[in-house]
Amino acid sequence: MTFQGLLLLPSQEALIQRLHHVASYSDQLLVLSGAQGSGKTTLVTALATDFEESNVALVICPMHADDAEIRRKILVQLMSSPIFDDEEPLAETLLRVAATQTKPLHIIIDDAHLLSKTLWAECIILNQIQCAGKNIALTLTVPPAFLADLLPQLPEALRRQVLPIAVEPLTLVEREALYQTLLRTSEQHPFTPREIVRGQLEKQMGTPQEVVSLLALALHDQPEQVTWWRKHRVGIIAVVSVLFALLLGIVLHRPRAPELSEPVTYPAVDSKVFLAYGHRALAEYFEWRAALLRQSQVAPVSADPLAAFHGEPVQSAEPSVVTALSTQDAEAAMAGAAGAGKEAAAQVDVTTSAEISDVAVAADKVAPEPNQTTPASQSQEKATGLKPATGYTVQIASVSQRRTLDSLLQSLTGVENVRLAKHKRYWVVLVGQYDTASGAQKAAAQLVKDYRIDKPWVRKWSELGGYQLQEALPHREISE
């Protein structure tokens, strides 16, 4: 069916008649909601052409349009005089010219969800203004999601002024009729069986745009042939990406060949360098042995052969224990010196076993016995109290400044059983020992009431493992 040059279906024509009736006799703001392609623009266009007895303004709201542009588009259709201020609200301008209007006003805005909140407020106010004996009628189209978000934001009084009307989906019969009508209008005859068309129409949601798209596909588009590459390209790209990632990981984590350092060579043990070093290291020993040998030939040997080596005076021993170094002993000493020269190449700084023994004895004298207690530990034992294993206590505060702690302890002068604990770098003030949590809660409430303590904390003693409990000191003094 046609409606003043527009092709309309029976359900659409019935909806227009309903909108026309409500706009003429109701003082509510009409909000027509429907999904994209449901025919909202067609409906409001037909509605605008139906009002012969009213002065109608039809505006299709563009995206990113400012308020002045929308006001200007509305006013140029309603007013014969082009003199107006598009910065003023619509209500002020129309109230000024309402006395000169001979017909009622009807403002229709398509895609009203693109309007600002300011213009929405002006539209709600306009609906309450009369012109030529009737209220100004307004009809706006929005998507369903926008309407569902708008209505909860309006007060109850304004929400009653809004009348939402939804565009119902087309029935299957209307879809087929629209398809065949558009097909005849196109004057083309594609070979598409009616059963196939009906099956495709049944799968649709019921909007006219879907019917038009199906007809355009039948008239112009060919079925797209899906190639092997387009069918499997996602899997191929995924496999190639995984292989590339694995290859990159292998390259980055491949162990590098160790850099070969230059070989270090040492001279042979029987080389002249080692022999010279051995002679220099044992030269003093050889001199002492030679002197001792010469002395043994003219005088009795000391009971301690090393006394002369250490610079001590040589004391004569008993004749029975005095022995002289023979020539064989000197030769053995020379052979031992050669062996000692080889060992000196591997260890330059030699510490004799006697010196190590002296160091060990000195360390044993300095180190305390296992059960011996140092003064520091004794003072620590005095400063640390025994912490209860069970029960509850009330934590008053945790401070790090000595000044704050002294002030807090002074304010708790009348409180009994105040205890001090150390936790890391903080001093923790605890009050009381309670068997149950309820008793600790009552004590905490009493502290808040009597001393105005802010949020005391009931703690289990078992949870204070890292706290070092301090013994009470005179005059509430603590050691830093």
Side-chain angles (χ1 to χ4, degrees):
M1 299 180 64
T2 59
F3 193 90
Q4 299 210 3
L6 295 176
L7 181 64
L8 297 177
L9 298 170
S11 61
Q12 293 176 325
E13 186 176 2
L15 181 58
I16 290 176
Q17 295 297 336
R18 179 186 176 191
L19 293 174
H20 184 277
H21 179 79
V22 174
S24 300
Y25 300 101
S26 175
D27 58 350
Q28 290 180 296
L29 177 68
L30 297 181
V31 179
L32 185 64
S33 64
Q36 183 178 5
S38 60
K40 297 189 299 295
T41 303
T42 302
L43 291 172
V44 294
T45 303
L47 181 64
T49 60
D50 185 45
F51 278 93
E52 297 179 356
E53 67 279 3
S54 299
N55 194 4
V56 181
L58 174 61
V59 177
I60 299 177
C61 182
M63 294 183 64
H64 311 297
D66 56 3
D67 296 347
E69 180 182 354
I70 301 300
R71 294 191 190 102
R72 187 164 54 252
K73 289 183 177 183
I74 294 174
L75 294 175
V76 295
Q77 300 180 59
L78 298 178
M79 299 174 56
S80 58
S81 175
I83 302 175
F84 56 83
D85 188 1
D86 54 14
E87 296 293 337
E88 292 183 356
L90 290 172
E92 295 182 9
T93 305
L94 293 179
L95 278 175
R96 188 170 58 251
V97 299
T100 62
Q101 297 293 322
T102 59
K103 292 183 179 181
L105 302 182
H106 188 185
I107 301 174
I108 302 174
I109 303 177
D110 191 21
D111 294 334
H113 61 282
L114 301 177
L115 295 177
S116 64
K117 296 298 178 62
T118 303
L119 285 179
W120 269 93
E122 293 182 17
C123 291
I124 295 176
I125 295 174
L126 281 178
N127 190 245
Q128 306 303 315
I129 299 175
Q130 286 192 352
C131 185
K134 290 186 177 181
N135 290 354
I136 299 177
L138 286 98
T139 303
L140 292 78
T141 66
V142 296
F146 179 84
L147 181 61
D149 182 62
L150 174 66
L151 291 178
Q153 300 181 30
L154 298 177
E156 183 64 26
L158 296 180
R159 196 182 307 167
R160 294 175 182 175
Q161 298 180 13
V162 177
L163 178 60
I165 298 178
V167 180
E168 299 295 334
L170 300 178
T171 62
L172 181 59
V173 176
E174 288 183 327
R175 287 179 237 171
E176 290 182 344
L178 179 60
Y179 182 89
Q180 297 299 331
T181 303
L182 295 176
L183 181 60
R184 287 193 299 269
T185 306
S186 65
E187 297 182 355
Q188 298 185 32
H189 304 282
F191 182 73
T192 305
R194 187 168 183 176
E195 292 76 10
I196 296 179
V197 174
R198 184 182 180 86
Q200 294 295 327
L201 292 174
E202 289 177 351
K203 298 178 182 178
Q204 296 177 354
M205 301 297 296
T207 62
Q209 182 63 41
E210 293 175 325
V211 179
V212 174
S213 300
L214 181 61
L215 179 62
L217 180 63
L219 295 178
H220 306 292
D221 295 343
Q222 297 293 332
E224 184 180 4
Q225 296 181 357
V226 180
T227 61
W228 180 87
W229 162 250
R230 296 192 62 181
K231 185 178 180 180
H232 302 283
R233 61 180 177 180
V234 176
I236 294 174
I237 293 175
V239 172
V240 172
S241 301
V242 172
L243 293 178
F244 178 76
L246 292 176
L247 181 60
L248 184 61
I250 293 174
V251 172
L252 293 178
H253 293 82
R254 184 175 59 185
R256 297 181 179 179
E259 297 181 359
L260 298 178
S261 58
E262 297 182 359
V264 180
T265 57
Y266 298 95
V269 178
D270 55 351
S271 63
K272 294 181 179 181
V273 177
F274 276 94
L275 293 178
Y277 178 82
H279 281 294
R280 286 195 303 273
L282 299 178
E284 185 179 357
Y285 174 77
F286 288 148
E287 292 178 359
W288 170 75
R289 293 288 298 209
L292 192 62
L293 181 60
R294 288 193 301 270
Q295 185 178 1
S296 64
Q297 294 177 356
V298 296
V301 182
S302 172
D304 185 5
L306 298 179
F309 181 71
H310 292 291
E312 299 179 359
V314 179
Q315 299 179 1
S316 299
E318 294 296 330
S320 59
V321 296
V322 174
T323 58
L325 294 176
S326 61
T327 306
Q328 296 179 354
D329 294 336
E331 294 177 354
M334 293 298 293
K342 298 180 181 180
E343 296 178 357
Q347 182 178 359
V348 177
D349 297 331
V350 181
T351 303
T352 62
S353 60
E355 293 174 346
I356 297 176
S357 300
D358 294 341
V359 174
V361 171
D364 292 337
K365 292 180 179 180
V366 175
E369 294 295 331
N371 297 329
Q372 184 178 355
T373 305
T374 61
S377 62
Q378 292 176 357
S379 62
Q380 181 68 20
E381 291 178 357
K382 291 181 180 180
T384 304
L386 184 60
K387 184 167 53 182
T390 59
Y392 299 82
T393 186
V394 179
Q395 179 174 327
I396 300 300
S398 177
V399 299
S400 60
Q401 299 293 331
R402 172 65 180 272
R403 220 175 24 251
T404 308
L405 180 63
D406 293 341
S407 176
L408 178 61
L409 293 178
Q410 187 175 2
S411 65
L412 299 175
T413 304
V415 181
E416 297 182 357
N417 199 10
V418 178
R419 313 185 76 171
L420 192 63
K422 191 68 178 291
H423 180 61
K424 297 182 180 179
R425 63 185 186 88
Y426 293 95
W427 295 100
V428 183
V429 180
L430 307 172
V431 174
Q433 163 67 25
Y434 307 96
D435 296 333
T436 61
S438 60
Q441 292 287 355
K442 292 181 181 178
Q446 190 66 30
L447 289 173
V448 173
K449 179 179 178 182
D450 296 343
Y451 295 92
R452 297 183 179 179
I453 296 175
D454 187 19
K455 298 180 180 179
W457 188 6
V458 176
R459 305 291 303 274
K460 288 184 178 180
W461 283 109
S462 58
E463 296 176 352
L464 307 180
Y467 288 58
Q468 298 179 1
L469 193 63
Q470 308 294 312
E471 293 184 355
L473 300 180
H475 308 291
R476 301 195 182 275
E477 295 182 355
I478 60 173
S479 58
E480 295 292 343

